[in-house]
mmCIF file with all atom_site columns, all heavy atoms in Angstrom:
data_model
loop_
_atom_site.group_PDB
_atom_site.id
_atom_site.type_symbol
_atom_site.label_atom_id
_atom_site.label_alt_id
_atom_site.label_comp_id
_atom_site.label_asym_id
_atom_site.label_entity_id
_atom_site.label_seq_id
_atom_site.pdbx_PDB_ins_code
_atom_site.Cartn_x
_atom_site.Cartn_y
_atom_site.Cartn_z
_atom_site.occupancy
_atom_site.B_iso_or_equiv
_atom_site.pdbx_formal_charge
_atom_site.auth_seq_id
_atom_site.auth_comp_id
_atom_site.auth_asym_id
_atom_site.auth_atom_id
_atom_site.pdbx_PDB_model_num
ATOM 1   N N   . ASP P 1 5  ? -162.507 -76.282  75.370 1.00 0.00 ? 5  ASP P N   1
ATOM 2   C CA  . ASP P 1 5  ? -163.170 -76.149  76.669 1.00 0.00 ? 5  ASP P CA  1
ATOM 3   C C   . ASP P 1 5  ? -164.621 -75.694  76.520 1.00 0.00 ? 5  ASP P C   1
ATOM 4   O O   . ASP P 1 5  ? -165.485 -76.119  77.276 1.00 0.00 ? 5  ASP P O   1
ATOM 5   C CB  . ASP P 1 5  ? -162.423 -75.158  77.561 1.00 0.00 ? 5  ASP P CB  1
ATOM 6   C CG  . ASP P 1 5  ? -161.047 -75.671  77.965 1.00 0.00 ? 5  ASP P CG  1
ATOM 7   O OD1 . ASP P 1 5  ? -160.819 -76.882  77.908 1.00 0.00 ? 5  ASP P OD1 1
ATOM 8   O OD2 . ASP P 1 5  ? -160.200 -74.835  78.320 1.00 0.00 ? 5  ASP P OD2 1
ATOM 9   N N   . PHE P 1 7  ? -166.682 -76.435  74.122 1.00 0.00 ? 7  PHE P N   1
ATOM 10  C CA  . PHE P 1 7  ? -167.492 -77.576  73.721 1.00 0.00 ? 7  PHE P CA  1
ATOM 11  C C   . PHE P 1 7  ? -167.684 -78.558  74.877 1.00 0.00 ? 7  PHE P C   1
ATOM 12  O O   . PHE P 1 7  ? -168.733 -79.182  74.987 1.00 0.00 ? 7  PHE P O   1
ATOM 13  C CB  . PHE P 1 7  ? -166.878 -78.281  72.512 1.00 0.00 ? 7  PHE P CB  1
ATOM 14  C CG  . PHE P 1 7  ? -166.918 -77.439  71.275 1.00 0.00 ? 7  PHE P CG  1
ATOM 15  C CD1 . PHE P 1 7  ? -165.758 -76.908  70.747 1.00 0.00 ? 7  PHE P CD1 1
ATOM 16  C CD2 . PHE P 1 7  ? -168.123 -77.136  70.658 1.00 0.00 ? 7  PHE P CD2 1
ATOM 17  C CE1 . PHE P 1 7  ? -165.795 -76.120  69.613 1.00 0.00 ? 7  PHE P CE1 1
ATOM 18  C CE2 . PHE P 1 7  ? -168.172 -76.337  69.531 1.00 0.00 ? 7  PHE P CE2 1
ATOM 19  C CZ  . PHE P 1 7  ? -167.000 -75.825  69.004 1.00 0.00 ? 7  PHE P CZ  1
ATOM 20  N N   . ASP P 1 20 ? -164.383 -92.071  97.032 1.00 0.00 ? 20 ASP P N   1
ATOM 21  C CA  . ASP P 1 20 ? -163.484 -93.215  97.117 1.00 0.00 ? 20 ASP P CA  1
ATOM 22  C C   . ASP P 1 20 ? -163.761 -94.129  95.918 1.00 0.00 ? 20 ASP P C   1
ATOM 23  O O   . ASP P 1 20 ? -164.654 -93.878  95.119 1.00 0.00 ? 20 ASP P O   1
ATOM 24  C CB  . ASP P 1 20 ? -163.641 -93.960  98.446 1.00 0.00 ? 20 ASP P CB  1
ATOM 25  C CG  . ASP P 1 20 ? -165.025 -94.557  98.652 1.00 0.00 ? 20 ASP P CG  1
ATOM 26  O OD1 . ASP P 1 20 ? -165.764 -94.758  97.665 1.00 0.00 ? 20 ASP P OD1 1
ATOM 27  O OD2 . ASP P 1 20 ? -165.375 -94.829  99.812 1.00 0.00 ? 20 ASP P OD2 1
ATOM 28  N N   . ARG P 1 21 ? -162.983 -95.189  95.802 1.00 0.00 ? 21 ARG P N   1
ATOM 29  C CA  . ARG P 1 21 ? -163.063 -96.092  94.645 1.00 0.00 ? 21 ARG P CA  1
ATOM 30  C C   . ARG P 1 21 ? -164.480 -96.642  94.420 1.00 0.00 ? 21 ARG P C   1
ATOM 31  O O   . ARG P 1 21 ? -165.021 -96.564  93.332 1.00 0.00 ? 21 ARG P O   1
ATOM 32  C CB  . ARG P 1 21 ? -162.085 -97.250  94.824 1.00 0.00 ? 21 ARG P CB  1
ATOM 33  C CG  . ARG P 1 21 ? -162.124 -98.281  93.713 1.00 0.00 ? 21 ARG P CG  1
ATOM 34  C CD  . ARG P 1 21 ? -161.292 -99.516  94.056 1.00 0.00 ? 21 ARG P CD  1
ATOM 35  N NE  . ARG P 1 21 ? -159.936 -99.192  94.390 1.00 0.00 ? 21 ARG P NE  1
ATOM 36  C CZ  . ARG P 1 21 ? -158.925 -99.143  93.517 1.00 0.00 ? 21 ARG P CZ  1
ATOM 37  N NH1 . ARG P 1 21 ? -159.154 -99.394  92.260 1.00 0.00 ? 21 ARG P NH1 1
ATOM 38  N NH2 . ARG P 1 21 ? -157.719 -98.846  93.917 1.00 0.00 ? 21 ARG P NH2 1
ATOM 39  N N   . GLU P 1 22 ? -165.075 -97.198  95.447 1.00 0.00 ? 22 GLU P N   1
ATOM 40  C CA  . GLU P 1 22 ? -166.383 -97.836  95.301 1.00 0.00 ? 22 GLU P CA  1
ATOM 41  C C   . GLU P 1 22 ? -167.484 -96.812  95.022 1.00 0.00 ? 22 GLU P C   1
ATOM 42  O O   . GLU P 1 22 ? -168.348 -97.042  94.177 1.00 0.00 ? 22 GLU P O   1
ATOM 43  C CB  . GLU P 1 22 ? -166.725 -98.659  96.545 1.00 0.00 ? 22 GLU P CB  1
ATOM 44  C CG  . GLU P 1 22 ? -168.009 -99.442  96.442 1.00 0.00 ? 22 GLU P CG  1
ATOM 45  C CD  . GLU P 1 22 ? -168.047 -100.441 95.290 1.00 0.00 ? 22 GLU P CD  1
ATOM 46  O OE1 . GLU P 1 22 ? -166.982 -100.877 94.806 1.00 0.00 ? 22 GLU P OE1 1
ATOM 47  O OE2 . GLU P 1 22 ? -169.167 -100.791 94.870 1.00 0.00 ? 22 GLU P OE2 1
ATOM 48  N N   . MET P 1 27 ? -171.269 -94.184  91.205 1.00 0.00 ? 27 MET P N   1
ATOM 49  C CA  . MET P 1 27 ? -171.712 -92.924  90.598 1.00 0.00 ? 27 MET P CA  1
ATOM 50  C C   . MET P 1 27 ? -171.521 -92.928  89.078 1.00 0.00 ? 27 MET P C   1
ATOM 51  O O   . MET P 1 27 ? -172.376 -92.442  88.337 1.00 0.00 ? 27 MET P O   1
ATOM 52  C CB  . MET P 1 27 ? -170.971 -91.741  91.214 1.00 0.00 ? 27 MET P CB  1
ATOM 53  C CG  . MET P 1 27 ? -171.356 -91.463  92.650 1.00 0.00 ? 27 MET P CG  1
ATOM 54  S SD  . MET P 1 27 ? -173.092 -91.003  92.843 1.00 0.00 ? 27 MET P SD  1
ATOM 55  C CE  . MET P 1 27 ? -173.100 -89.416  92.031 1.00 0.00 ? 27 MET P CE  1
ATOM 56  N N   . VAL P 1 28 ? -170.407 -93.480  88.621 1.00 0.00 ? 28 VAL P N   1
ATOM 57  C CA  . VAL P 1 28 ? -170.155 -93.557  87.177 1.00 0.00 ? 28 VAL P CA  1
ATOM 58  C C   . VAL P 1 28 ? -171.223 -94.409  86.505 1.00 0.00 ? 28 VAL P C   1
ATOM 59  O O   . VAL P 1 28 ? -171.802 -94.004  85.489 1.00 0.00 ? 28 VAL P O   1
ATOM 60  C CB  . VAL P 1 28 ? -168.739 -94.105  86.883 1.00 0.00 ? 28 VAL P CB  1
ATOM 61  C CG1 . VAL P 1 28 ? -168.589 -94.505  85.418 1.00 0.00 ? 28 VAL P CG1 1
ATOM 62  C CG2 . VAL P 1 28 ? -167.694 -93.070  87.260 1.00 0.00 ? 28 VAL P CG2 1
ATOM 63  N N   . ASN P 1 29 ? -171.504 -95.573  87.053 1.00 0.00 ? 29 ASN P N   1
ATOM 64  C CA  . ASN P 1 29 ? -172.534 -96.436  86.458 1.00 0.00 ? 29 ASN P CA  1
ATOM 65  C C   . ASN P 1 29 ? -173.901 -95.780  86.467 1.00 0.00 ? 29 ASN P C   1
ATOM 66  O O   . ASN P 1 29 ? -174.628 -95.833  85.467 1.00 0.00 ? 29 ASN P O   1
ATOM 67  C CB  . ASN P 1 29 ? -172.575 -97.793  87.155 1.00 0.00 ? 29 ASN P CB  1
ATOM 68  C CG  . ASN P 1 29 ? -171.510 -98.719  86.636 1.00 0.00 ? 29 ASN P CG  1
ATOM 69  O OD1 . ASN P 1 29 ? -171.281 -98.805  85.432 1.00 0.00 ? 29 ASN P OD1 1
ATOM 70  N ND2 . ASN P 1 29 ? -170.829 -99.397  87.531 1.00 0.00 ? 29 ASN P ND2 1
ATOM 71  N N   . VAL P 1 32 ? -173.860 -92.953  83.775 1.00 0.00 ? 32 VAL P N   1
ATOM 72  C CA  . VAL P 1 32 ? -173.917 -93.505  82.417 1.00 0.00 ? 32 VAL P CA  1
ATOM 73  C C   . VAL P 1 32 ? -175.319 -94.026  82.115 1.00 0.00 ? 32 VAL P C   1
ATOM 74  O O   . VAL P 1 32 ? -175.881 -93.743  81.046 1.00 0.00 ? 32 VAL P O   1
ATOM 75  C CB  . VAL P 1 32 ? -172.874 -94.634  82.223 1.00 0.00 ? 32 VAL P CB  1
ATOM 76  C CG1 . VAL P 1 32 ? -173.140 -95.426  80.947 1.00 0.00 ? 32 VAL P CG1 1
ATOM 77  C CG2 . VAL P 1 32 ? -171.474 -94.056  82.212 1.00 0.00 ? 32 VAL P CG2 1
ATOM 78  N N   . LEU P 1 41 ? -175.477 -88.619  74.029 1.00 0.00 ? 41 LEU P N   1
ATOM 79  C CA  . LEU P 1 41 ? -174.499 -89.412  73.292 1.00 0.00 ? 41 LEU P CA  1
ATOM 80  C C   . LEU P 1 41 ? -173.085 -89.242  73.823 1.00 0.00 ? 41 LEU P C   1
ATOM 81  O O   . LEU P 1 41 ? -172.220 -90.071  73.567 1.00 0.00 ? 41 LEU P O   1
ATOM 82  C CB  . LEU P 1 41 ? -174.543 -89.062  71.802 1.00 0.00 ? 41 LEU P CB  1
ATOM 83  C CG  . LEU P 1 41 ? -175.892 -89.299  71.125 1.00 0.00 ? 41 LEU P CG  1
ATOM 84  C CD1 . LEU P 1 41 ? -175.821 -88.896  69.664 1.00 0.00 ? 41 LEU P CD1 1
ATOM 85  C CD2 . LEU P 1 41 ? -176.323 -90.748  71.271 1.00 0.00 ? 41 LEU P CD2 1
ATOM 86  N N   . LEU P 1 44 ? -169.204 -86.124  80.249 1.00 0.00 ? 44 LEU P N   1
ATOM 87  C CA  . LEU P 1 44 ? -167.870 -85.823  80.762 1.00 0.00 ? 44 LEU P CA  1
ATOM 88  C C   . LEU P 1 44 ? -167.800 -86.252  82.223 1.00 0.00 ? 44 LEU P C   1
ATOM 89  O O   . LEU P 1 44 ? -168.688 -85.921  83.013 1.00 0.00 ? 44 LEU P O   1
ATOM 90  C CB  . LEU P 1 44 ? -167.590 -84.328  80.641 1.00 0.00 ? 44 LEU P CB  1
ATOM 91  C CG  . LEU P 1 44 ? -166.235 -83.836  81.128 1.00 0.00 ? 44 LEU P CG  1
ATOM 92  C CD1 . LEU P 1 44 ? -165.124 -84.365  80.224 1.00 0.00 ? 44 LEU P CD1 1
ATOM 93  C CD2 . LEU P 1 44 ? -166.197 -82.318  81.157 1.00 0.00 ? 44 LEU P CD2 1
ATOM 94  N N   . ILE P 1 46 ? -165.370 -85.950  85.481 1.00 0.00 ? 46 ILE P N   1
ATOM 95  C CA  . ILE P 1 46 ? -164.216 -85.278  86.075 1.00 0.00 ? 46 ILE P CA  1
ATOM 96  C C   . ILE P 1 46 ? -163.781 -86.122  87.269 1.00 0.00 ? 46 ILE P C   1
ATOM 97  O O   . ILE P 1 46 ? -164.493 -86.211  88.261 1.00 0.00 ? 46 ILE P O   1
ATOM 98  C CB  . ILE P 1 46 ? -164.578 -83.847  86.513 1.00 0.00 ? 46 ILE P CB  1
ATOM 99  C CG1 . ILE P 1 46 ? -165.124 -83.058  85.331 1.00 0.00 ? 46 ILE P CG1 1
ATOM 100 C CG2 . ILE P 1 46 ? -163.376 -83.150  87.147 1.00 0.00 ? 46 ILE P CG2 1
ATOM 101 C CD1 . ILE P 1 46 ? -165.842 -81.776  85.709 1.00 0.00 ? 46 ILE P CD1 1
ATOM 102 N N   . GLU P 1 56 ? -158.821 -94.761  87.848 1.00 0.00 ? 56 GLU P N   1
ATOM 103 C CA  . GLU P 1 56 ? -158.781 -96.197  87.569 1.00 0.00 ? 56 GLU P CA  1
ATOM 104 C C   . GLU P 1 56 ? -160.162 -96.833  87.771 1.00 0.00 ? 56 GLU P C   1
ATOM 105 O O   . GLU P 1 56 ? -160.625 -97.619  86.934 1.00 0.00 ? 56 GLU P O   1
ATOM 106 C CB  . GLU P 1 56 ? -157.760 -96.862  88.485 1.00 0.00 ? 56 GLU P CB  1
ATOM 107 C CG  . GLU P 1 56 ? -157.614 -98.349  88.277 1.00 0.00 ? 56 GLU P CG  1
ATOM 108 C CD  . GLU P 1 56 ? -156.612 -98.934  89.256 1.00 0.00 ? 56 GLU P CD  1
ATOM 109 O OE1 . GLU P 1 56 ? -155.441 -98.506  89.222 1.00 0.00 ? 56 GLU P OE1 1
ATOM 110 O OE2 . GLU P 1 56 ? -157.017 -99.808  90.040 1.00 0.00 ? 56 GLU P OE2 1
ATOM 111 N N   . ALA P 1 61 ? -165.143 -99.077  85.480 1.00 0.00 ? 61 ALA P N   1
ATOM 112 C CA  . ALA P 1 61 ? -166.601 -99.061  85.389 1.00 0.00 ? 61 ALA P CA  1
ATOM 113 C C   . ALA P 1 61 ? -167.055 -98.794  83.959 1.00 0.00 ? 61 ALA P C   1
ATOM 114 O O   . ALA P 1 61 ? -167.997 -99.432  83.473 1.00 0.00 ? 61 ALA P O   1
ATOM 115 C CB  . ALA P 1 61 ? -167.178 -98.008  86.340 1.00 0.00 ? 61 ALA P CB  1
ATOM 116 N N   . ARG P 1 64 ? -166.628 -101.863 81.689 1.00 0.00 ? 64 ARG P N   1
ATOM 117 C CA  . ARG P 1 64 ? -167.584 -102.939 81.951 1.00 0.00 ? 64 ARG P CA  1
ATOM 118 C C   . ARG P 1 64 ? -169.030 -102.582 81.596 1.00 0.00 ? 64 ARG P C   1
ATOM 119 O O   . ARG P 1 64 ? -169.870 -103.470 81.476 1.00 0.00 ? 64 ARG P O   1
ATOM 120 C CB  . ARG P 1 64 ? -167.518 -103.352 83.417 1.00 0.00 ? 64 ARG P CB  1
ATOM 121 C CG  . ARG P 1 64 ? -166.191 -103.951 83.800 1.00 0.00 ? 64 ARG P CG  1
ATOM 122 C CD  . ARG P 1 64 ? -166.150 -104.241 85.305 1.00 0.00 ? 64 ARG P CD  1
ATOM 123 N NE  . ARG P 1 64 ? -164.819 -104.556 85.764 1.00 0.00 ? 64 ARG P NE  1
ATOM 124 C CZ  . ARG P 1 64 ? -164.259 -105.754 85.687 1.00 0.00 ? 64 ARG P CZ  1
ATOM 125 N NH1 . ARG P 1 64 ? -164.927 -106.744 85.156 1.00 0.00 ? 64 ARG P NH1 1
ATOM 126 N NH2 . ARG P 1 64 ? -163.044 -105.951 86.142 1.00 0.00 ? 64 ARG P NH2 1
ATOM 127 N N   . LYS P 1 67 ? -173.406 -99.933  78.016 1.00 0.00 ? 67 LYS P N   1
ATOM 128 C CA  . LYS P 1 67 ? -173.995 -98.757  77.361 1.00 0.00 ? 67 LYS P CA  1
ATOM 129 C C   . LYS P 1 67 ? -172.924 -97.784  76.868 1.00 0.00 ? 67 LYS P C   1
ATOM 130 O O   . LYS P 1 67 ? -173.234 -96.798  76.223 1.00 0.00 ? 67 LYS P O   1
ATOM 131 C CB  . LYS P 1 67 ? -174.952 -98.063  78.320 1.00 0.00 ? 67 LYS P CB  1
ATOM 132 C CG  . LYS P 1 67 ? -176.162 -98.924  78.629 1.00 0.00 ? 67 LYS P CG  1
ATOM 133 C CD  . LYS P 1 67 ? -177.070 -98.292  79.632 1.00 0.00 ? 67 LYS P CD  1
ATOM 134 C CE  . LYS P 1 67 ? -178.271 -99.186  79.815 1.00 0.00 ? 67 LYS P CE  1
ATOM 135 N NZ  . LYS P 1 67 ? -178.417 -99.662  81.164 1.00 0.00 ? 67 LYS P NZ  1
ATOM 136 N N   . PHE P 1 71 ? -164.442 -94.392  75.391 1.00 0.00 ? 71 PHE P N   1
ATOM 137 C CA  . PHE P 1 71 ? -164.078 -93.316  76.313 1.00 0.00 ? 71 PHE P CA  1
ATOM 138 C C   . PHE P 1 71 ? -162.604 -93.019  76.146 1.00 0.00 ? 71 PHE P C   1
ATOM 139 O O   . PHE P 1 71 ? -161.827 -93.883  75.716 1.00 0.00 ? 71 PHE P O   1
ATOM 140 C CB  . PHE P 1 71 ? -164.428 -93.670  77.769 1.00 0.00 ? 71 PHE P CB  1
ATOM 141 C CG  . PHE P 1 71 ? -163.724 -94.868  78.314 1.00 0.00 ? 71 PHE P CG  1
ATOM 142 C CD1 . PHE P 1 71 ? -162.509 -94.744  78.990 1.00 0.00 ? 71 PHE P CD1 1
ATOM 143 C CD2 . PHE P 1 71 ? -164.273 -96.141  78.188 1.00 0.00 ? 71 PHE P CD2 1
ATOM 144 C CE1 . PHE P 1 71 ? -161.868 -95.859  79.515 1.00 0.00 ? 71 PHE P CE1 1
ATOM 145 C CE2 . PHE P 1 71 ? -163.636 -97.255  78.716 1.00 0.00 ? 71 PHE P CE2 1
ATOM 146 C CZ  . PHE P 1 71 ? -162.431 -97.106  79.385 1.00 0.00 ? 71 PHE P CZ  1
ATOM 147 N N   . VAL P 1 78 ? -155.830 -84.319  81.768 1.00 0.00 ? 78 VAL P N   1
ATOM 148 C CA  . VAL P 1 78 ? -155.829 -85.733  82.139 1.00 0.00 ? 78 VAL P CA  1
ATOM 149 C C   . VAL P 1 78 ? -156.707 -86.036  83.352 1.00 0.00 ? 78 VAL P C   1
ATOM 150 O O   . VAL P 1 78 ? -156.833 -87.190  83.752 1.00 0.00 ? 78 VAL P O   1
ATOM 151 C CB  . VAL P 1 78 ? -154.394 -86.255  82.372 1.00 0.00 ? 78 VAL P CB  1
ATOM 152 C CG1 . VAL P 1 78 ? -153.581 -86.190  81.088 1.00 0.00 ? 78 VAL P CG1 1
ATOM 153 C CG2 . VAL P 1 78 ? -153.714 -85.501  83.491 1.00 0.00 ? 78 VAL P CG2 1
ATOM 154 N N   . VAL P 1 83 ? -166.885 -89.599  77.500 1.00 0.00 ? 83 VAL P N   1
ATOM 155 C CA  . VAL P 1 83 ? -167.503 -90.899  77.301 1.00 0.00 ? 83 VAL P CA  1
ATOM 156 C C   . VAL P 1 83 ? -168.529 -90.822  76.187 1.00 0.00 ? 83 VAL P C   1
ATOM 157 O O   . VAL P 1 83 ? -169.375 -89.912  76.185 1.00 0.00 ? 83 VAL P O   1
ATOM 158 C CB  . VAL P 1 83 ? -168.207 -91.368  78.599 1.00 0.00 ? 83 VAL P CB  1
ATOM 159 C CG1 . VAL P 1 83 ? -168.785 -92.773  78.420 1.00 0.00 ? 83 VAL P CG1 1
ATOM 160 C CG2 . VAL P 1 83 ? -167.259 -91.315  79.786 1.00 0.00 ? 83 VAL P CG2 1
ATOM 161 N N   . LYS P 1 84 ? -168.477 -91.768  75.244 1.00 0.00 ? 84 LYS P N   1
ATOM 162 C CA  . LYS P 1 84 ? -169.486 -91.865  74.201 1.00 0.00 ? 84 LYS P CA  1
ATOM 163 C C   . LYS P 1 84 ? -170.461 -92.959  74.593 1.00 0.00 ? 84 LYS P C   1
ATOM 164 O O   . LYS P 1 84 ? -170.056 -94.082  74.938 1.00 0.00 ? 84 LYS P O   1
ATOM 165 C CB  . LYS P 1 84 ? -168.848 -92.179  72.852 1.00 0.00 ? 84 LYS P CB  1
ATOM 166 C CG  . LYS P 1 84 ? -168.005 -91.023  72.358 1.00 0.00 ? 84 LYS P CG  1
ATOM 167 C CD  . LYS P 1 84 ? -167.507 -91.248  70.966 1.00 0.00 ? 84 LYS P CD  1
ATOM 168 C CE  . LYS P 1 84 ? -166.634 -90.052  70.635 1.00 0.00 ? 84 LYS P CE  1
ATOM 169 N NZ  . LYS P 1 84 ? -166.473 -89.827  69.247 1.00 0.00 ? 84 LYS P NZ  1
ATOM 170 N N   . ILE P 1 85 ? -171.742 -92.621  74.544 1.00 0.00 ? 85 ILE P N   1
ATOM 171 C CA  . ILE P 1 85 ? -172.816 -93.506  74.984 1.00 0.00 ? 85 ILE P CA  1
ATOM 172 C C   . ILE P 1 85 ? -173.532 -94.095  73.764 1.00 0.00 ? 85 ILE P C   1
ATOM 173 O O   . ILE P 1 85 ? -173.730 -93.397  72.775 1.00 0.00 ? 85 ILE P O   1
ATOM 174 C CB  . ILE P 1 85 ? -173.834 -92.723  75.849 1.00 0.00 ? 85 ILE P CB  1
ATOM 175 C CG1 . ILE P 1 85 ? -173.141 -91.990  76.989 1.00 0.00 ? 85 ILE P CG1 1
ATOM 176 C CG2 . ILE P 1 85 ? -174.953 -93.627  76.354 1.00 0.00 ? 85 ILE P CG2 1
ATOM 177 C CD1 . ILE P 1 85 ? -172.599 -92.844  78.075 1.00 0.00 ? 85 ILE P CD1 1
#
Side-chain angles (χ1 to χ4, degrees):
D5 293 339
F7 293 110
D20 62 21
R21 177 189 305 269
E22 185 59 23
M27 290 297 292
V28 166
N29 278 317
V32 167
L41 300 179
L44 180 68
I46 304 165
E56 181 182 300
R64 295 175 192 277
K67 294 177 177 119
F71 62 92
V78 296
V83 183
K84 293 187 183 202
I85 307 290

